[in-house]
Amino acid sequence: MKQALQCRCPKCNKGKLYQSLFDLRLRTHCGECALNLENNDSADGPAVFLTFVLGALIVPIALWVDACFNWPLWLHAIIWGIVILGFTVGLLKPIKAYVFMLQYKHRQDQWDEK
Ligand SMILES: [Zn+2]
């Protein structure tokens, strides 16, 4: 998890996974150990994982807030829209790095040099 939060290479834990801070594209190779990062693609897995986790966490909170404070619908739309967008943008890179590391750990055959 710590390694995923740092968005580092799954093999050496030193090289950066992403091309820049605000870019979701992976580097082609690790700058430290030359691991070919193009061998694997997590596709939509991280986004789906994040959708399920955020939905399971935020919907009950929104329902609880509605029951307790009786906010108007427009306020729910603004507040929860900002919360969901913030969590999605903030967590997508670490979740993608986590899925990437799980694939590196459990599907080692896909990482062999081709
Ligand atoms: Zn590396």
Side-chain angles (χ1 to χ4, degrees), residues 8-17 29-37:
R8 299 286 181 178
C9 169
K11 184 178 180 183
C12 67
N13 198 22
K14 292 178 184 170
K16 293 180 179 177
L17 277 182
H29 289 82
C30 174
E32 300 291 327
C33 68
L35 176 68
N36 186 356
L37 299 173

Side-chain angles (χ1 to χ4, degrees), residues 22-103:
F22 300 106
D23 195 345
L24 267 176
R25 288 178 295 167
L26 294 168
R27 294 173 185 260
T28 57
H29 289 82
C30 174
E32 300 291 327
C33 68
L35 176 68
N36 186 356
L37 299 173
E38 290 181 319
N39 280 350
N40 211 311
D41 182 19
S42 57
D44 293 338
V48 171
F49 183 72
L50 197 55
T51 300
F52 285 134
V53 170
L54 285 179
L57 292 176
I58 292 183
V59 168
I61 294 171
L63 291 173
W64 177 79
V65 167
D66 186 54
C68 291
F69 303 107
N70 201 17
W71 286 356
L73 284 178
W74 63 266
L75 186 57
H76 278 287
I78 292 172
I79 297 298
W80 299 118
I82 292 170
V83 168
I84 290 170
L85 190 63
F87 275 113
T88 302
V89 169
L91 292 175
L92 193 54
K93 284 177 83 170
I95 295 292
K96 187 174 179 175
Y98 183 65
V99 171
F100 203 74
M101 288 176 192
L102 287 176
Q103 289 177 333

